[in-house]
Amino acid sequence: MENILYQIKSQKLVKAGMVVGVATSGGSDSMALLHYLHSHQSELDIEVCAIHVDHALREKSADDAQFVMDWCKNNGIRAYKFRIDVARLAEQKKMTLEEAAREARFGVFETLFKKNVVDKVAIAHNMRD
């Protein structure tokens, strides 16, 4: 774990005082990233918040959103939740669901940048991404 912190610092991935939003789906990879950055925010001199985008594609997607919000509340992490009807967006723009979901997420991130809510967004990926 020290190597991760070293890489963040040596690569200057964040600057002191930044607000880093973590794209948090509720899956193990994004929850691990959120937990790690939150646990090390004082060492990095950053503030960490969670950003959850509910794509409304699964019947239980609201449960994922609630899990993230509850976890953040229990751990003292500011969290933002957005719900976007990705299937409708895909149909309107004649895109695949994956393309529409990506556009929706990036649109949320862009809005948060423009409103000066976050300075950077961290996204977790695993080998299947």
Side-chain angles (χ1 to χ4, degrees):
M1 293 293 184
E2 289 176 18
N3 189 36
I4 296 169
L5 201 54
Y6 171 78
Q7 289 298 324
I8 292 170
K9 289 178 178 182
S10 68
Q11 299 294 318
K12 298 180 178 152
L13 298 178
V14 295
K15 294 178 184 170
M18 276 187 162
V19 176
V20 178
V22 178
T24 310
S25 67
S28 58
D29 51 347
S30 66
M31 293 303 295
L33 179 61
L34 178 62
H35 179 264
Y36 183 85
L37 290 176
H38 175 66
S39 298
H40 292 89
Q41 65 184 350
S42 62
E43 293 167 75
L44 295 167
D45 194 19
I46 61 172
E47 179 188 346
V48 173
C49 66
I51 305 165
H52 179 81
V53 179
D54 177 352
H55 298 106
L57 290 172
R58 293 178 300 103
E59 193 174 306
K60 301 273 188 182
S61 68
D63 293 346
D64 294 338
Q66 193 59 54
F67 168 76
V68 170
M69 299 307 287
D70 289 345
W71 194 90
C72 288
K73 182 179 180 184
N74 291 335
N75 287 278
I77 301 171
R78 186 166 39 108
Y80 299 93
K81 177 177 70 171
F82 301 86
R83 187 171 198 277
I84 299 171
D85 187 341
V86 168
R88 189 167 144 229
L89 179 65
E91 186 178 318
Q92 288 173 341
K93 294 197 169 193
K94 306 210 182 318
M95 319 171 109
T96 67
L97 287 175
E98 187 175 315
E99 291 168 330
R102 185 178 304 109
E103 183 174 295
R105 283 190 307 277
F106 286 11
V108 165
F109 302 155
E110 187 65 32
T111 297
L112 293 173
F113 288 134
K114 286 180 180 174
K115 292 186 175 190
N116 295 313
V117 174
V118 297
D119 299 301
K120 195 167 262 203
V121 174
I123 301 172
H125 292 279
N126 60 47
M127 298 219 17
R128 292 186 320 241
D129 289 340

